[in-house]
Amino acid sequence: MLVERGLQVMNVEVVGAAYAIASNYLRRSGVIADNFVTEDRLLGLIVQMFRRGEFNKLRLANKAIARFEAGERAW
């Protein structure tokens, strides 16, 4: 499904799948709390990379995990 945001179009499935993969890994490794609250910083990193042209969900998840663990901020 594509969602139009202003002039940009975002593939929600790719971003959602990348977030699910990354958050699952980070929860299982104990980096983030094991609850159903969205980790905004992680989602921001994924959206930022998606907007820069990364569309592969596994690559998005792996890069987001690395950047999240390194303490980077989105935007």
Side-chain angles (χ1 to χ4, degrees):
M1 177 175 153
L2 298 176
V3 177
E4 188 173 336
R5 301 237 177 203
L7 297 176
Q8 293 184 333
V9 175
M10 182 176 299
N11 188 327
V12 176
E13 283 86 11
V14 171
V15 171
Y19 178 82
I21 294 165
S23 65
N24 186 44
Y25 171 82
L26 292 169
R27 282 188 181 100
R28 289 179 181 259
S29 63
V31 176
I32 60 176
D34 191 14
N35 56 28
F36 293 107
V37 177
T38 301
E39 178 59 53
D40 292 331
R41 187 167 62 102
L42 178 61
L43 182 59
L45 289 168
I46 292 170
V47 169
Q48 182 181 47
M49 288 184 287
F50 182 86
R51 287 182 176 160
R52 290 183 180 168
E54 182 59 66
F55 303 117
N56 181 293
K57 64 183 175 185
L58 291 175
R59 206 170 304 133
L60 272 170
N62 287 332
K63 287 181 178 181
I65 289 166
R67 291 176 66 185
F68 187 88
E69 290 180 330
E72 288 186 38
R73 292 259 176 220
W75 321 115

